[in-house]
Amino acid sequence: YGELGETEKALEAYRKALKIDGQYKDAFFNIGRIYHLKKDFVQATACSIIRIERHRAPLTVNREPGT
């Protein structure tokens, strides 16, 4: 839908996808892109933050053997 200029239908489809799988990170990314195209930078930023917070890899500490 987004490529066809039907951003509202695209947003609806991504929201439905998130209801099915709340961890679907591509949905957050694409919703953010749509908001960015619509110049709604507050919503675009919010989507980016949610995506980062939900999908960041846990930090690991690499230690040398014997330390």
Side-chain angles (χ1 to χ4, degrees):
Y1 295 113
E3 292 177 6
L4 299 173
E6 298 183 37
T7 56
E8 291 307 314
K9 285 186 179 180
L11 285 172
E12 183 181 332
Y14 287 124
R15 287 183 183 125
K16 284 182 183 179
L18 286 171
K19 285 183 182 180
I20 295 168
D21 179 2
Q23 298 301 314
Y24 181 38
K25 63 183 174 183
D26 290 341
F28 288 110
F29 176 77
N30 289 319
I31 290 170
R33 286 182 59 203
I34 291 168
Y35 281 126
H36 188 267
L37 290 172
K38 295 173 91 174
K39 308 240 186 279
D40 186 341
F41 301 117
V42 172
Q43 288 294 332
T45 302
C47 287
S48 295
I49 291 169
I50 291 169
R51 182 173 186 254
I52 290 167
E53 287 178 346
R54 290 191 183 180
H55 298 97
R56 85 174 92 196
L59 295 175
T60 58
V61 177
N62 293 324
R63 297 180 183 224
E64 294 293 321
T67 60

